Structure formats: structure tokens, C-alpha cells
Amino acid sequence: MLNPHILPIFLRSSFLPSTLHIKSSHLLPKIMHCIKLNPIQLKSIPSFLLNPYSNHSFSKPFSLNRTKMAALKAVHVSDVPNLDQVNENAAVSLSSRYNPKEMETVTMEMGNRKKFMVIGHRGNGMNRLQSSDPRMKHVKENSILSFNTAASFNLDFIEFDVQVTKDGCPIIFHDDYILSKENGIIYEKRVTDLTLSEFLAYGPQKQDGKISKPLLRNTKDGKSVSWDVNYDDTLCTLQEAFEEVDPKLGFNVELKFDDYIVYKEAHLVNVLQAILEVVYKYAKDRPVIFSTFHPDAALLVRNLQGTYPVYFLTNGGTERYDDVRRNSLEEALNLCLEGSLQGIVSEVKGIFRYPGAVSKIKDSKLSLLTYGTLNNVPESVYLQHLMGIDGVIVDFVQEITKAVDNLIKPVKTEENEGELQSDVKPQFSQTELSFLLKLIPELVQQ
């Protein structure tokens, strides 16, 4: 039977096309067999589609309009997010949901393929203060506590954002501005305009009795709220991260720059050299990769050093910028090839909209990682593994590492080292996988 848990990611009425033309009935009975429909919805679906054993063939392509496709919401649709938000119950291990014995199988040869990587976003996950999901406010993002919390799971890397203070110290902080309140008045200061001591004065303090400045953050709706989490921690420097975080954990160092500032090359070089100085001094044997949304910074850091891989970050065409190099996966690929970069990190929506880009990137011998809220859904992560993507950056570290351990990562046995454990790995026929990959871009781009 067709796996009912991949399709809900894409079959949501909020981004269905007005009409979907289906040339083959091979999968439709299987889809319908996995769906619970109310009486009104049943009227919009041809009766032969409701028979899970139907071999009905179409004399011409069958068209599903928006009304009909709205009925194609699967049983677990409440567990699956749309493209912009993640439901609290979305990241649930799938090992109990699949029955591979009921599915046609397709052998996924690992060959010399690299290990599928899971990377913790800002450590154990970003903070979204307006979210009702307690996981988004569990541990302070981009903190030593968050990094070491992530290290307690079967994680390969953590990702964090590095900026350089006014007095030349690389610090870890995501936002361009830091918000605080004094005498009831909220104010903001650009992070890179602060000295190290000024930056560290915000939030919890290491020294008992030291007065700190309150730390606030803007939400997406424009409100300024107190940066309250269950487990808080002090702000930190890049050096402290190298010294205090579990050494087995790799670092994905995002070189953070303001999207709305045109930087001179000399400034970029000064910032990058300050960061490289710390990395060279304290990284030791720790794996490190650099990534950045800034095309010139990516090219410069590649030219300034040859020790650590450089990845170009892109929205994959989901947003538009004045710099055209940031506006598509094709432009990202061109930049990497021209600058001898080692990989691309794309918003996962961009990959799902243009899945053909994966083969082009891989054929160019580049690594491909993704980020985005859909990476907090195990089904989405597993599908990316099938597509050939090398790793994912996630917020729900505990849930996704568990799902990946169950579904993807090789299990060594005495008989055969490194083979996938077939009893926990959901399997798809080539027809089913082809159907998904053709259906995804048509739905997601709406």
C-alpha cells in the first residue's frame, strides 16, 4: 500500500493547483484507500477510485479540480505542517507507522554515498517565542547550553551564526539587532556596533550579582517580547564554543551579514580574518564548515583559506533579492562552480519546487544540505534522503535524530557492516517514488 504519510505534506488545499491532471490510475486507488472522507467529500470523487483494488485505466488524463483535491487530505493531516508552520505533533517517529512488508520494494544502494547528516539549527533548535510549541522555547538558541544539549543526541553538526563586534571579537548571535528595555522604553542596537563587553551585558550573567540588561526579541507580527525560555544561558563567543562544546560535534559556522547593507570588500575581509583567527587557534580536530548567504563573503572566505569547506546558503528562489546570485538554485550552482565552493545549503521548499536541481548539483560534485521548517517532519527528511540530499538542518533535534536513526542511518552488524536495517526502513516502488517527485513541484509552487 502507498505510504500515507509522505503525501499529506504536499496534498494540502492551501497550496493545491486549480487542476491536477493525472495520466495514470496506478496510485489513485492506493491514495484513496489511505483517506478518510466525509459524505460530502465522497460525492466529489469517482466511485472507481474508492476501490483500493481497482485496476481502472483512463482513456484520457483524469482531472482533479481544487474541490476534488481538497478531499485528498490523509488521515494524519493534522500531524503535518503547511510550508510555513510546524504543528506541535508533526515530528513523530515513523517507525511504528510503516509496514514495509506490505509495500513494493525498491533497493536503495548506498555505495560510496556519504553519511546522511543531521545538523542542529542554532544548537538544539531556534527559539520562536510566539509559538505554542514548547520545543521552540526549551533552551536558549545559540548558547553553550543549547549546543551541549544537542550534543547529547546522535547529531553530526550544529549550526550557529557568527558576527564580529566593534572591537573585533567573533560572537554567536543570529539577529542583526539586539533589543532591550530601559525605564519602560524599548530600544535596539546593531550587534556589530557593540563592543564585546557591551554585547555580553545582555541576558543572564556568569558572575553572580552582576546587573544585566533584559533581552527582548521581535516576533513576526512586530511585537517585542521578553526572550523567555525554559532553560536560559548567557550569550557567548566563538572561542567559548570551541572550548566548552563537546569536541565530537562538528561546527557549521554561518558567517552572518545584514541583507540590507552593501559591504566593502575590505570590511568583509577584516570580519572574515577575525573569525578565521579564532577557528585556526581553537578548532583543533573538530570538523568545521563555513556557510553564508552573502555571495562575496563566500568567495572571499574560500580564497582566504583552503582548510575548511565553504557552502553557499540560498533561499532556493523562494524569496527575491537585489543580488541575483541569491535568487535561484541555478545561480547558487553557478556561484559555487565559479568560486570553487564545496556545497549549497538551500531552503527545503526550493528543493521541493525544483527537484531537478538536485541531480545538477550532485553531478557537479557539490554537497547539498537543506534548512527550513519542513525539516522538522521525519517524512520530509526521509524523502530528501531518497532524493540524494546529503543532510538537513533541523530544530527538533531529538525527534529528527531518532527518526533518522530508525529510517536512514546504517546499522553495523557482524554479517554485513553498514547495511540499512530493512525491518525499520520504509520502502517505495520506483513508480511510487517517481509519482511523488513529479507531484511535489506542481503542488508546492502554488
Side-chain angles (χ1 to χ4, degrees):
M1 186 174 70
L2 175 68
N3 189 314
H5 304 285
I6 292 289
L7 288 175
I9 300 174
F10 314 107
L11 296 178
R12 295 186 63 94
S13 59
S14 59
F15 55 96
L16 287 173
S18 58
T19 302
L20 178 63
H21 301 285
I22 301 177
K23 296 182 180 179
S24 170
S25 64
H26 174 71
L27 294 175
L28 285 171
K30 296 183 179 182
I31 296 173
M32 303 308 303
H33 189 56
C34 300
I35 301 171
K36 289 182 179 178
L37 304 173
N38 62 41
I40 296 176
Q41 291 172 323
L42 281 170
K43 293 180 181 180
S44 68
I45 304 298
S47 59
F48 66 83
L49 293 180
L50 301 178
N51 180 1
Y53 307 104
S54 170
N55 290 317
H56 182 94
S57 60
F58 301 127
S59 59
K60 60 181 181 178
F62 175 72
S63 297
L64 289 177
N65 61 25
R66 185 179 295 275
T67 301
K68 293 176 182 177
M69 285 189 292
L72 296 180
K73 290 186 176 183
V75 177
H76 296 280
V77 73
S78 62
D79 289 347
V80 182
N82 61 31
L83 291 177
D84 298 311
Q85 62 185 134
V86 175
N87 186 277
E88 294 180 11
N89 298 318
V92 179
S93 174
L94 300 184
S95 58
S96 61
R97 296 184 180 178
Y98 290 106
N99 186 355
K101 294 181 180 179
E102 295 181 0
M103 303 179 187
E104 298 176 68
T105 62
V106 54
T107 302
M108 305 300 295
E109 296 293 339
M110 295 295 288
N112 293 322
R113 184 172 170 181
K114 296 178 181 178
K115 175 184 180 183
F116 187 84
M117 292 195 300
V118 180
I119 302 170
H121 188 208
R122 305 181 199 174
N124 198 52
M126 69 176 291
N127 295 149
R128 185 168 289 162
L129 302 178
Q130 73 276 18
S131 174
S132 60
D133 191 328
R135 292 172 294 186
M136 305 302 288
K137 295 174 284 188
H138 182 57
V139 184
K140 180 68 138 306
E141 71 175 37
N142 278 335
S143 67
I144 302 298
L145 178 60
S146 182
F147 300 157
N148 282 324
T149 299
S152 65
F153 304 106
N154 191 16
L155 201 66
D156 301 293
F157 278 73
I158 53 171
E159 178 272 350
F160 52 77
D161 311 273
V162 175
Q163 304 183 58
V164 175
T165 61
K166 185 179 180 179
D167 50 349
C169 183
I171 51 90
I172 299 177
F173 196 76
H174 174 270
D175 300 353
D176 296 321
Y177 292 88
I178 199 162
L179 271 67
S180 190
K181 180 186 290 188
E182 187 174 0
N183 297 325
I185 299 175
I186 295 175
Y187 67 90
E188 64 179 19
K189 291 187 177 181
R190 182 176 289 279
V191 172
T192 53
D193 287 341
L194 301 172
T195 64
L196 176 61
S197 61
E198 289 171 338
F199 170 73
L200 295 177
Y202 294 92
Q205 299 296 297
K206 290 184 177 181
Q207 298 178 358
D208 293 337
K210 186 174 182 179
I211 299 176
S212 66
K213 297 179 180 180
L215 193 58
L216 286 73
R217 195 178 209 182
N218 285 335
T219 61
K220 280 191 173 181
D221 56 8
K223 295 180 180 179
S224 298
V225 299
S226 179
W227 200 325
D228 294 328
V229 293
N230 292 335
Y231 297 95
D232 211 343
D233 197 14
T234 61
L235 301 180
C236 67
T237 67
L238 179 59
Q239 177 181 333
E240 288 174 325
F242 278 115
E243 292 177 330
E244 300 178 25
V245 174
D246 190 327
K248 72 176 177 60
L249 202 58
F251 283 178
N252 174 3
V253 178
E254 181 181 339
L255 308 169
K256 185 77 175 177
F257 297 95
D258 193 320
D259 290 336
Y260 302 100
I261 293 180
V262 178
Y263 295 95
K264 293 182 179 180
E265 182 174 317
H267 175 79
L268 292 174
V269 170
N270 287 336
V271 169
L272 296 175
Q273 286 178 334
I275 295 170
L276 286 172
E277 183 179 351
V278 173
V279 174
Y280 279 132
K281 187 174 182 178
Y282 297 99
K284 299 179 181 178
D285 295 328
R286 187 190 301 272
V288 175
I289 62 175
F290 292 113
S291 63
T292 182
F293 284 102
H294 197 293
D296 294 326
L299 297 174
L300 283 170
V301 76
R302 180 69 178 91
N303 290 330
L304 289 170
Q305 58 83 41
T307 305
Y308 303 106
V310 180
Y311 287 55
F312 181 55
L313 273 159
T314 176
N315 293 105
T318 60
E319 297 181 31
R320 309 300 291 179
Y321 297 90
D322 292 336
D323 191 331
V324 296
R325 295 174 295 178
R326 298 186 60 181
N327 288 338
S328 70
L329 285 166
E330 183 178 0
E331 289 289 348
L333 175 57
N334 290 337
L335 182 76
C336 289
L337 295 178
E338 292 171 6
S340 298
L341 308 185
Q342 285 84 3
I344 293 173
V345 186
S346 174
E347 220 294 348
V348 63
K349 288 184 288 184
I351 294 295
F352 282 158
R353 288 179 181 179
Y354 311 108
V358 176
S359 60
K360 292 182 181 180
I361 293 169
K362 302 303 294 182
D363 288 346
S364 299
K365 309 301 181 184
L366 295 174
S367 178
L368 178 59
L369 308 175
T370 67
Y371 71 93
T373 56
L374 279 177
N375 282 353
N376 295 325
V377 183
E379 294 90 337
S380 173
V381 171
Y382 184 71
L383 183 57
Q384 291 178 69
H385 166 67
L386 295 182
M387 293 171 70
I389 290 165
D390 297 302
V392 290
I393 300 173
V394 308
D395 292 303
F396 298 161
V397 170
Q398 180 176 5
E399 292 84 349
I400 298 302
T401 53
K402 180 179 179 181
V404 168
D405 286 343
N406 288 338
L407 301 175
I408 297 175
K409 289 192 175 181
V411 178
K412 292 184 178 181
T413 63
E414 292 182 1
E415 293 79 12
N416 203 336
E417 287 193 1
E419 281 197 353
L420 288 175
Q421 202 173 31
S422 60
D423 60 335
V424 296
K425 174 179 170 285
Q427 297 169 322
F428 299 86
S429 71
Q430 288 287 8
T431 304
E432 291 171 334
L433 184 57
S434 175
F435 173 81
L436 283 173
L437 295 180
K438 289 177 180 178
L439 184 64
I440 290 166
E442 186 166 0
L443 295 180
V444 176
Q445 67 185 344
Q446 301 300 317

